[in-house]
Amino acid sequence: PAAALGRVVLKMKSPEVAIEVLTDLIAEMPKAYRRTPLLGFRIEAYRRSGDIANALRDLNEIIEYAFDHQKPDLFLRRAFFKRELQLFDQAVADIALATASGSLKIILQLQVKLRNAGQTGVDINGEFDAATKAGLIDCMSDKECGASLGTPI
């Protein structure tokens, strides 16, 4: 029921109203781990309103209660929020956390995106190596390149 309600709230034309309604619903949840679906919807409402700092705060709470197999994708999402806040070193650190699980999918996607963005020193080898890290740091600090990392290949 909470997930269905969250989807309905997000369809509201105003993200600010959605944030208000979701905040009230979240406050009524007795256990923090049960709030995560509603937090996910509020993250989206915050993102739509341009409030990345609060979206990041909610994402951190979701990460706290996430299962280990969910964390790499959440760390990657957090990295893109931190990039929008120009916290480039922290964004790269989160990408390193996302890749620490050994997820070839995440590493290869990043390497392909970096190469497509002109980072010719990055090899597509499935390893989070020094060249990949250097390419990420360079790309994160460039508005156009950094934004391309958050889009599908």
Side-chain angles (χ1 to χ4, degrees):
L5 183 58
R7 282 191 291 277
V8 169
V9 169
L10 270 184
K11 291 188 182 209
M12 295 177 174
K13 295 199 184 267
S14 165
E16 290 78 14
V17 172
I19 291 166
E20 185 179 323
V21 171
L22 288 163
T23 298
D24 290 344
L25 290 170
I26 289 166
E28 293 177 18
M29 290 286 174
K31 295 187 178 180
Y33 68 89
R34 292 184 184 210
R35 302 184 326 197
T36 56
L38 293 174
L39 286 169
F41 291 113
R42 190 167 70 176
I43 288 168
E44 180 58 22
Y46 278 134
R47 190 193 63 74
R48 288 181 186 178
S49 74
D51 189 349
I52 302 303
N54 276 319
L56 181 59
R57 183 200 65 219
D58 281 359
L59 183 56
N60 285 332
E61 186 172 339
I62 287 176
I63 289 170
E64 184 179 335
Y65 294 103
F67 293 107
D68 288 343
H69 72 276
Q70 297 170 316
K71 289 185 179 183
D73 288 330
L74 294 171
F75 289 142
L76 199 56
R77 187 169 187 199
R78 186 170 71 179
F80 295 127
F81 284 161
K82 288 181 177 179
R83 188 219 159 269
E84 286 187 49
L85 295 171
Q86 298 187 4
L87 303 170
F88 303 122
D89 290 341
Q90 291 180 30
V92 171
D94 274 342
I95 290 172
L97 283 173
T99 61
S101 68
S103 171
L104 282 177
K105 173 187 161 194
I106 291 173
I107 297 168
L108 289 170
Q109 284 178 339
L110 284 171
Q111 289 175 334
V112 168
K113 288 178 182 184
L114 288 168
R115 285 294 292 271
N116 288 345
Q119 296 292 326
T120 57
V122 175
D123 291 325
I124 301 173
N125 59 13
E127 297 177 14
F128 192 67
D129 53 18
T132 300
K133 187 175 180 180
L136 269 171
I137 291 169
D138 187 44
C139 186
M140 287 277 188
S141 62
D142 178 81
K143 185 174 182 163
E144 188 175 317
C145 183
S148 73
L149 293 177
T151 60
I153 296 176

